Structure formats: structure tokens, C-alpha cells
Amino acid sequence: MHGTALLYSSHERSSFIHGHYLAERALNGWADHRILFLPMSTPDVGRQHQSWDDFRWFFERYACRGLQVVPFFWSDNLQKSDVDELWRLMWNSEVVLLGGGYSTTGIERYKHLGERFDGEWGKFGRILHERMKRGLLNAGFSAGADQLAQHLFRKSWNLPGNNDGFGCARNVMVRLHYEPHLFGELMDAARQNPHCLVFGLPNDSGLYLDQGVLPSGNHWQVIETIIDESWDVPHDQFHIKTRQGVRVEHAYCDGRQWVFHGGHQIVRVQSPDCRFHEVFIRNGEGPLVHYWSQRPSDFWSVESVLAAY
């Protein structure tokens, strides 16, 4: 699967997610071997640089193979020439990685960059979607994952402000740094947003996906769940929930629950108005499971589902 969006939650730089899905993806890029790292969700320049340091040591392991990782920092003193360089880097980089911090801080900065410098509110999001159409990867860690979803998870808490994400994971919402006692939050979010699939992502796990539009006009989406147990530093084990057996948890809009293991896939078809919403799950050998009935379906592959709708 060649995904175009990666939403993930982690405590440290676990090698499966950061190595396989980010570094290796960039190294195999057709245009360049670059990861553009954007720590703009952290409030001040000092903490943005600290966020960059938290990632830099890991990616430097791949420098000998040609990996380039370029950070771009937010500042009140940005000039148009700076932002023009940001647009160029976003257009060309194999991977764009939105860092952690505060979801609302970053979303406001990202969304208003275009308006401030080019008279186009939301230019940042437009470029993200154009990247996906070109087969490039948009990745988000923590707050960045929240921002790539359809809505920030805080929307389910009825908090005021700009709670719409970029929709790089169309009609998906994620609860980052998830633990099982938070399942009630997933249920509330799912009930309030029945057009969305709502997931709890524990440290270290993620969603890797691709999406588009079928000839019928329906929107398609294939989501693969990631479980990463590679971070084995003993004093960090409390924080790595996947090593404690926690998996990617999902709440239905009617309150039911589904638990996804690594490598499971979800294939989904929705009409533009979301009135039609069909979903199937591949969780092993055999026919795909019909999401709503939770019974085996007549489909045996992702491709057969997409061809049918």
C-alpha cells in the first residue's frame, strides 16, 4: 500500500514508524529524499527548536544514505520570501511531517499563512491535498495527526474555536496518546459525528491511508492500522501502551467497539453528502468483514469493494 497520509501517536522515536514509514519512504522518493519537518504547533521558537531536536537525532542515522530533513520554524517575523520557500519545500518534499504541540496553535498558523502572504486563506491545506493526489506523504505526529484529520478531537468536547482539520484523513477523527479508560471519549465523539470513523491511537500506533474519488463520484478510502512495539528502553515502558497490549480502538456511532491490530485494513466508500456510508474490514485471511453487521461479507479483497461502488 502506497499511503498518502500517516496519523500517529508515539512517546519517542520508535523505529518502525519513524524508520519504515518516514525515513525509508523519503529515501525511496521519486522526486527527492527529503522530510520537511514543521514544529509550528509549539508556541515559541525555543520549544520549536526543542521539538526539532527530539526528531533530529533519529533521522541523522539515515543521513549517510542521503536522507535530508529540513525544519521550518514559525516566527512573527516571517517574510514573504520565507513563506515562498515553505511552499516550494512543501510541493517538492517526499514527506511533510507536522509536529506535536497544541492543535489549535498550529492549525491557526498553518491556515492563515496563505492569507497573510498570498491572499489565499487555507493555501497550506490546498497544497497538502495536491500532494496526496501526486502520491506524496503527509504525516502528522500528535497535534499534527489531529490536524490532518477531518476535525480536531476537541470538537467533541464542544470547545470554541477553529476545530476543523485539513481532511487529509477524510471523515476521520483521532484521540492521540489514547488509553483504554478514555473509551468514553471515543463514544461521545462517534455519536456526535456519525459521518466520521473515530479511533483511539495509543503510544505507539498509527493510521496509514490513501483516499480519492471513484468514477461513480463516491469517495473511497483505505486505512491500514499500525502497531509499533519497537521502542524498548526499559524506563520508558510505562509510556509505550502498545507494548502493554493496547491496540488501536474504534468506537461506532451506536456505542459498539472494535479493536484493530497491526496490519488490519479498512476499506470505505461514502457519497459526497455522507448519506451512503459502506465499510469493510480485512483482519486476516478469508472474506472481508462487513463493518455494520460485523459478519463476513461477499468481498475477498479491497479492490473488489472499490470496483463494486
Side-chain angles (χ1 to χ4, degrees), residues 7 34 51 96 110 161 164 182 218 245:
L7 286 63
R34 183 190 303 122
S51 179
V96 169
Y110 293 136
D164 288 328
L182 300 173
N218 289 327

Side-chain angles (χ1 to χ4, degrees), residues 214-216 219-222 267-269 280 299 301-309:
L214 294 167
S216 63
H219 290 260
W220 66 270
Q221 191 175 59
V222 178
V267 56
R268 181 186 193 198
V269 180
F280 299 87
F299 296 106
S301 70
V302 168
E303 293 77 13
S304 63
V305 173
L306 299 181
Y309 293 99

Side-chain angles (χ1 to χ4, degrees), residues 159-285:
L159 296 176
N162 188 342
N163 291 325
D164 288 328
F166 292 117
C168 294
R170 184 181 186 269
N171 289 344
V172 167
M173 295 177 69
V174 289
R175 176 55 162 96
L176 283 305
H177 310 293
Y178 175 77
E179 300 183 30
H181 72 269
L182 300 173
F183 185 72
E185 293 188 6
L186 297 189
M187 288 196 297
D188 290 342
R191 290 192 185 107
Q192 293 174 41
N193 301 278
H195 60 295
C196 287
L197 295 182
V198 180
F199 299 90
L201 300 182
N203 297 341
D204 295 339
S205 71
L207 305 176
Y208 183 59
L209 65 94
D210 196 12
Q211 60 187 29
V213 180
L214 294 167
S216 63
N218 289 327
H219 290 260
W220 66 270
Q221 191 175 59
V222 178
I223 304 172
E224 184 171 295
T225 52
I226 301 168
I227 297 295
D228 185 346
E229 298 178 340
S230 62
W231 188 260
D232 59 359
V233 177
H235 65 260
D236 280 343
Q237 293 313 296
F238 172 78
H239 301 284
I240 314 302
K241 301 305 177 182
T242 53
R243 289 180 69 93
Q244 301 171 28
V246 183
R247 296 298 179 250
V248 174
E249 297 195 6
H250 166 70
Y252 284 69
C253 58
D254 60 9
R256 288 180 293 168
Q257 180 182 24
W258 192 283
V259 177
F260 291 94
H261 296 264
H264 288 181
Q265 286 187 324
I266 303 151
V267 56
R268 181 186 193 198
V269 180
Q270 277 186 308
S271 61
D273 63 6
C274 302
R275 293 184 180 180
F276 174 77
H277 188 185
E278 196 64 281
V279 190
F280 299 87
I281 300 168
R282 186 185 68 79
N283 60 351
E285 300 295 330

Side-chain angles (χ1 to χ4, degrees), residues 289-305:
V289 176
H290 183 241
Y291 172 87
W292 299 108
S293 69
Q294 298 186 347
R295 298 171 61 88
S297 73
D298 294 329
F299 296 106
W300 287 73
S301 70
V302 168
E303 293 77 13
S304 63
V305 173

